[in-house]
Amino acid sequence: MKYRNTNYGHPILDDGFTNFDFRLRNRIITSMQYRFLKTFRFLNHWQALGSLFARISRRTIGGYVYSIKLEINTHCNLACKMCYVPTVDTTLECSLIENLFRQISNSGTRLEILGGEPMLREDLPDIVRAAKAIGKVPFISLYTNGIYAKKEKCADLKRAGLDAAIVTLISTNREIHGQFTGVRGSWEKTIQGIQNFRDAGIKTYTFSAVHAENKDETDEIQRFVTEELRVEPLFYQYIPQEQNDPLVIDRKHWYQIKDNILGKHSSHAAFVRDFEMLTGNACSGGNFVFTIKTDGSVQPCPFIYDLTLGNIRTDNFWTIFRNRYHQTQLMQLKSVPETCKECSYSSVCGGGCRAGHKMLRGSYATPDFRCLGPYKDPIATSCVTERIPCFF
């Protein structure tokens, strides 16, 4: 269905109604978020109603904390070519973690545990257990390379309350995977870890960033993961780590791969489309998702280190959340870049993913480097995920 030229509203650069407790506000919104999305999907069959609903939602609801990505350590047993984590070995203290859980308790906020390699921490089950007991976190996921996911450890994490494991899989070819991670034999251990998570009753996903060394493998990864491992595959755009990064794919090739992946996951593609049209941004960092690094700094995205919104060592998380739009760089990151404003899709894309842009282009106020736009034709719902250069 095609729409006439329209604008779905300004970017979310505030928190809508903020005159009451942020934690309570967050709990109310997170309990209703999927209803909002479902309502928008229905109303968006009519251009005027969909646009009006999106505009009102952005202004009245604004941003809220859907999920916190918590980096509990930086140490890792692998040396992956795509890694964005500093090589300095640091750990986030248990006291800070538990204090954070107390602050977000009963807020409806999800938790994503990151590293380094989080399973190198012996107290990982205790962290998961505390998130459930102290933080009342409704859903906890763990990002890992799976090598330390022994059967006993997986069973312990299941008992502690872990809901999902997301395991990095570079390739279905053990040699390519091993060369990429810098450790021979890592593929076999990762595959066994995936199976152990699955057998423990933990919802298990593989996670594959698509780059130059696995760009022709996405179909085989999809088949291998679903048919042989019997878990679900997740794919993501590769975030460049250096100028002239050799792992970056040609833009047109990336679009073909992206459309192929989303074509095999129609329900997720519909969710991505509706989320982007309702919220007006293909990036959720700083609006709905926040990352806490091992130094305590709060960043909008795991791939960003220089856009500090505050630090949980000195400030309450909700104070940081409330004041975040006072940060000039975050306003740049969340605002529509000047070069995007002539694009008909700017009010649903917001400039795409700009992680890594400070290094690539010197500023976050630039559009996603993968974009093939700007586009001039009227917005069509069937073209939103096709035109927007990234997905999640």
Side-chain angles (χ1 to χ4, degrees):
M1 177 182 293
K2 282 203 168 186
Y3 293 108
R4 298 187 300 274
N5 278 321
T6 189
N7 187 309
Y8 277 76
H10 296 293
I12 295 174
L13 294 173
D14 58 50
D15 296 310
F17 296 138
T18 60
N19 294 324
F20 61 96
D21 181 78
F22 271 102
R23 183 164 60 180
L24 174 60
R25 174 185 181 275
N26 212 79
R27 184 169 64 190
I28 294 171
I29 294 174
T30 53
S31 69
M32 301 176 65
Q33 58 192 342
Y34 295 112
R35 296 179 198 172
F36 279 112
L37 202 61
K38 186 176 180 180
T39 301
F40 172 74
R41 180 178 295 178
F42 173 75
L43 293 176
N44 204 37
H45 285 90
W46 300 275
Q47 174 195 356
L49 288 178
S51 174
L52 178 63
F53 188 84
R55 287 169 177 266
I56 293 173
S57 296
R58 294 180 195 183
R59 286 307 184 203
T60 59
I61 299 174
Y64 61 93
V65 189
Y66 172 78
S67 178
I68 289 176
K69 297 178 183 288
L70 187 65
E71 185 182 274
I72 63 172
N73 65 345
T74 57
H75 182 55
C76 185
N77 54 310
L78 301 181
C80 298
K81 295 179 183 179
M82 66 182 181
C83 186
Y84 60 89
V85 179
T87 56
V88 178
D89 186 4
T90 56
T91 300
L92 189 63
E93 302 96 313
C94 288
S95 58
L96 285 174
I97 294 173
E98 291 186 2
N99 190 45
L100 173 69
F101 292 162
R102 279 188 283 271
Q103 292 173 21
I104 67 170
S105 182
N106 280 313
S107 67
T109 300
R110 293 184 169 213
L111 178 69
E112 302 172 65
I113 301 176
L114 311 176
E117 173 45 57
M119 297 195 76
L120 285 171
R121 282 191 63 151
E122 292 295 328
D123 61 351
L124 178 60
D126 295 329
I127 293 173
V128 173
R129 203 170 287 113
K132 289 290 185 181
I134 300 173
K136 311 298 181 186
V137 175
F139 195 90
I140 304 172
S141 54
L142 170 71
Y143 285 78
T144 174
N145 60 44
I147 289 177
Y148 292 96
K150 308 303 181 185
K151 288 185 178 181
E152 299 79 9
K153 189 80 166 183
C154 292
D156 196 7
L157 287 168
K158 174 65 176 177
R159 287 190 295 269
L162 183 67
D163 296 289
I166 302 171
V167 186
T168 299
L169 181 67
I170 308 300
S171 172
T172 59
N173 183 302
R174 66 193 66 202
E175 294 300 323
I176 292 176
H177 184 97
Q179 290 172 4
F180 195 90
T181 63
V183 177
R184 291 178 62 86
S186 59
W187 187 87
E188 290 84 355
K189 294 177 181 178
T190 289
I191 298 302
Q192 185 61 61
I194 292 169
Q195 294 169 336
N196 290 342
F197 277 124
R198 180 200 66 199
D199 294 345
I202 297 170
K203 182 68 175 176
T204 307
Y205 303 86
T206 58
F207 186 81
S208 304
V210 182
H211 45 69
E213 296 193 18
N214 65 1
K215 59 183 173 57
D216 298 321
E217 257 198 276
T218 55
D219 283 342
E220 177 56 20
I221 291 174
Q222 166 86 23
R223 185 207 63 78
F224 175 72
V225 170
T226 55
E227 296 181 11
E228 299 189 34
L229 297 181
R230 301 188 312 256
V231 299
E232 294 188 28
L234 299 176
F235 296 93
Y236 196 71
Q237 60 265 9
Y238 171 70
I239 305 299
Q241 301 300 306
E242 57 182 315
Q243 288 188 338
N244 303 314
D245 193 325
L247 293 175
V248 171
I249 304 169
D250 171 78
R251 290 188 298 170
K252 290 185 178 179
H253 194 177
W254 161 247
Y255 267 73
Q256 294 170 357
I257 294 170
K258 174 179 67 72
D259 293 344
N260 180 48
I261 290 171
L262 290 176
K264 289 181 169 62
H265 299 84
S266 58
S267 60
H268 183 65
F271 171 80
V272 170
R273 177 201 65 209
D274 295 339
F275 174 86
E276 291 167 341
M277 297 187 81
L278 178 59
T279 67
N281 206 302
C283 165
S284 58
N287 284 342
F288 311 105
V289 179
F290 299 83
T291 298
I292 298 177
K293 302 290 187 178
T294 55
D295 63 0
S297 67
V298 180
Q299 307 282 343
C301 169
F303 303 101
I304 292 175
Y305 279 85
D306 63 346
L307 209 165
T308 301
L309 307 177
N311 196 300
I312 62 168
R313 294 180 185 278
T314 55
D315 298 305
N316 184 285
F317 175 78
W318 295 111
T319 300
I320 297 170
F321 174 78
R322 182 185 65 227
N323 295 330
R324 69 196 186 283
Y325 289 123
H326 296 163
Q327 301 281 348
T328 301
Q329 282 191 303
L330 182 65
M331 296 293 282
Q332 283 188 336
L333 184 71
K334 305 313 301 181
S335 299
V336 177
E338 284 296 323
T339 53
C340 292
K341 290 182 178 178
E342 61 186 74
C343 178
S344 56
Y345 284 78
S346 64
S347 67
V348 300
C349 173
C353 171
R354 283 172 271 170
H357 273 223
K358 192 70 175 297
M359 174 272 300
L360 284 175
R361 296 182 171 180
S363 171
Y364 291 121
T366 55
D368 194 316
F369 71 93
R370 305 168 190 84
C371 185
L372 295 177
Y375 300 101
K376 302 294 185 180
D377 54 317
I379 294 175
T381 49
S382 59
C383 293
V384 169
T385 54
E386 172 189 322
R387 295 290 177 83
I388 293 177
C390 55
F391 71 97
F392 49 90

